[in-house]
Amino acid sequence: FGTGGIFTAQGKVSITNSKNITLDGTGTVGIYAENNNTTGTKTDAVVTNTASGVITAGDSTPSNASIGIYGEKATISTQGTISVGDGGGAIYAKGGTEVTTLGTLYLGDDAVGVMTDGTSDITATSVILTSNGSGNTIRAGILYKGTGTENKDLNMNIDASTFNKGIALYVEDMSVASTGTLDVGQDGVGIFLKGSSVNIGTNKSTINLVTSKTGAIGMYSKTGNLVNDTTGIINLNDLSQTGIYGEGTDTKVLNNGTINLNVDGAKGIYI
């Protein structure tokens, strides 16, 4: 076909779902949008799941994850519902993708709401998280996974209070500052940092460890740095809860903010 004409600089796509996409098998993807235009931008590949849109993906296998929406160098917006089975991800954003809006995400056992790399951004300001599994395994609302030195700010309200062992914000091999409100349920964690001595997990807003939700932790790491900044507030509402938990010889904890121990017996900082 030659080297020019209509085949030059392809990669623009716009996908809108306002109905139901149901995939019952394992390792399935509801919507897949990869921007293959090397000169293009994230605005050239747009995925929209409207308020009436429902995407349901099945369980994952060890070698093949189920994903509701996959975007690479794309723009993703969902006002509707995405449900994924065990081990899946509601949204996987990579390669400079931006997630602008989040609706309701139903997560199976060991599932993740939004998985993103250090080159992508989440500008959505809130998300509703709900369990569709047994509720007894770890789930993560937002997972940021970098390569070591990336830094991101996340201005999002994350309500993970209905989860058992749920993590509102999981950060791996990068630094993230949370400026939204995080609500944490039973045996859950507000900010979980897995990284190295150069990585920092920072709270600049409010982390609520919900009343009667035993074992909840505001911030946790055993391999990085945790900072409750000057504007950071951690509210403890059960005697079994801990504001900041640091373990391991390389972990550093700094509290410049406020930790409210609203019940007797709660632990502000545990190292």
Side-chain angles (χ1 to χ4, degrees):
F1 294 101
T3 58
I6 63 171
F7 299 101
T8 301
Q10 296 297 299
K12 292 188 177 182
V13 62
S14 179
I15 302 170
T16 299
N17 175 57
S18 58
K19 297 293 184 179
N20 298 326
I21 299 174
T22 303
L23 306 165
D24 295 326
T26 58
T28 56
V29 179
I31 297 176
Y32 186 103
E34 179 181 354
N35 186 345
N36 60 6
N37 186 346
T38 57
T39 62
T41 67
K42 62 189 177 185
T43 59
D44 294 330
V46 178
V47 177
T48 304
N49 187 45
T50 69
S52 59
V54 178
I55 300 173
T56 304
D59 295 336
S60 298
T61 66
S63 60
N64 200 5
S66 286
I67 298 169
I69 298 176
Y70 173 94
E72 185 169 352
K73 196 162 65 173
T75 301
I76 297 173
S77 170
T78 175
Q79 299 174 350
T81 298
I82 302 176
S83 176
V84 293
D86 297 349
I91 294 175
Y92 185 10
K94 62 180 295 187
T97 291
E98 181 180 0
V99 180
T100 61
T101 309
L102 289 168
T104 301
L105 307 180
Y106 289 84
L107 307 181
D109 295 342
D110 298 311
V112 176
V114 181
M115 301 179 291
T116 184
D117 64 6
T119 69
S120 299
D121 292 296
I122 303 173
T123 54
T125 57
S126 64
V127 62
I128 300 171
L129 300 173
T130 302
S131 170
N132 64 8
S134 66
N136 295 319
T137 60
I138 295 174
R139 293 171 174 82
I142 306 296
L143 190 158
Y144 256 119
K145 182 175 175 61
T147 59
T149 59
E150 298 95 333
N151 289 274
K152 292 290 181 181
D153 291 327
L154 182 66
N155 183 22
M156 177 189 291
N157 298 328
I158 305 172
D159 186 353
S161 62
T162 62
F163 288 167
N164 291 341
K165 300 181 181 179
I167 299 171
L169 173 58
Y170 186 105
V171 182
E172 184 172 345
D173 293 329
M174 60 183 293
S175 298
V176 174
S178 171
T179 57
T181 298
L182 309 181
D183 294 313
V184 184
Q186 183 169 323
D187 295 322
V189 180
I191 299 174
F192 188 114
L193 174 65
K194 178 183 179 182
S196 68
S197 60
V198 301
N199 298 137
I200 305 172
T202 304
N203 174 46
K204 293 186 175 183
S205 186
T206 301
I207 301 176
N208 293 314
L209 308 184
V210 176
T211 301
S212 78
K213 300 296 186 179
T214 58
I217 298 171
M219 307 176 72
Y220 172 86
S221 182
K222 62 179 180 180
T223 55
N225 304 289
L226 298 174
V227 177
N228 190 38
D229 210 358
T230 54
T231 55
I233 300 171
I234 304 176
N235 294 315
L236 282 67
N237 297 290
D238 188 273
L239 62 85
S240 65
Q241 295 173 348
T242 304
I244 306 176
Y245 191 135
E247 62 175 317
T249 57
D250 295 327
T251 300
K252 295 181 180 179
V253 171
L254 177 63
N255 178 44
N256 289 325
T258 302
I259 302 176
N260 292 316
L261 308 180
N262 297 323
V263 293
D264 294 339
K267 302 177 184 67
I269 298 175
Y270 185 92
I271 298 178

